[in-house]
């Protein structure tokens, strides 16, 4: 069993270099042997202090994934897997450039053609988005 100060230090150490979800920190504290009451109290204090925010984590993570060419579906899946609530996920995805714009940008960056389409499909872009890109590419 750890002391409350130790639980706070563990959580702060995890937050030192990047935002994390509450779920992620809860799991880390659980693995470190922090009791459920201590975990909850520690995470509540960090949230009240503004050091822990699932909304901020979701926005940062969504922006980073979008910058690496991820689709909205892939971003939603990643955020849900990390324990972020539905409303925060949808808000974060809503802040991004549209999926069509993102797909077109990545398609151009990767030189267009079938290889770029396969890449986008692997990143979770919908078939309709890929079809629109194919149609637009054929018109050029």
């Amino acid at each position: 069993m750890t002391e409350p100060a130790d639980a706070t230090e563990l959580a702060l150490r995890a937050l030192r270099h990047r935002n994390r979800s509450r779920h992620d920190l809860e799991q880390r504290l659980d693995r470190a042997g922090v009791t459920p009451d201590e975990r909850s109290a520690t995470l509540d204090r960090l949230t009240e202090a503004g050091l822990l925010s699932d909304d901020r984590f979701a926005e940062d993570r969504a922006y980073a994934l979008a910058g690496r060419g991820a689709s909205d579906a892939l971003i939603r899946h990643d955020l849900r897997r990390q324990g972020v609530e539905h409303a925060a996920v949808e808000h974060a995805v809503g802040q991004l450039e549209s999926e069509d714009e993102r797909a077109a940008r990545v398609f151009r960056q990767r030189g267009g053609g079938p290889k770029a389409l396969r890449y986008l499909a692997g990143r979770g872009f919908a078939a309709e988005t890929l079809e629109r890109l194919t149609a637009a590419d054929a018109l050029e």
Side-chain angles (χ1 to χ4, degrees):
M1 191 173 347
T2 62
E3 296 292 319
D6 293 340
T8 301
E9 179 57 34
L10 287 169
L12 287 172
R13 199 175 314 134
L15 289 168
R16 188 169 291 142
H17 298 291
R18 68 178 177 99
N19 284 316
R20 296 187 182 277
S21 69
R22 182 179 179 104
H23 178 73
D24 178 33
L25 281 181
E26 192 166 1
Q27 288 182 324
R28 286 171 175 269
L29 294 176
D30 182 37
R31 286 191 303 268
V34 177
T35 66
D37 289 342
E38 289 177 38
R39 282 195 308 263
S40 182
T42 298
L43 297 176
D44 288 346
R45 280 193 308 276
L46 292 174
T47 300
E48 289 169 16
L51 298 172
L52 176 62
S53 167
D54 273 359
D55 292 336
R56 185 174 56 235
F57 168 77
E59 288 176 14
D60 289 352
R61 182 78 177 150
Y63 182 77
L65 291 171
R68 295 193 308 240
S71 68
D72 288 353
L74 190 138
I75 293 168
R76 282 184 180 98
H77 175 75
D78 181 81
L79 291 174
R80 279 191 224 112
R81 185 179 57 79
Q82 299 208 36
V84 178
E85 303 228 353
H86 179 77
V89 170
E90 291 307 314
H91 176 75
V93 171
Q95 300 299 306
L96 301 172
E97 72 179 320
S98 79
E99 188 173 60
D100 283 350
E101 291 171 357
R102 198 173 335 128
R105 179 177 43 80
V106 173
F107 184 74
R108 285 189 307 274
Q109 287 173 340
R110 298 194 66 87
K115 282 180 84 172
L117 289 172
R118 283 193 300 276
Y119 176 82
L120 289 168
R123 304 297 289 168
F125 286 90
E128 299 81 32
T129 301
L130 302 179
E131 289 169 6
R132 283 191 292 276
L133 283 173
T134 303
D137 192 42
L139 293 176
E140 292 179 1

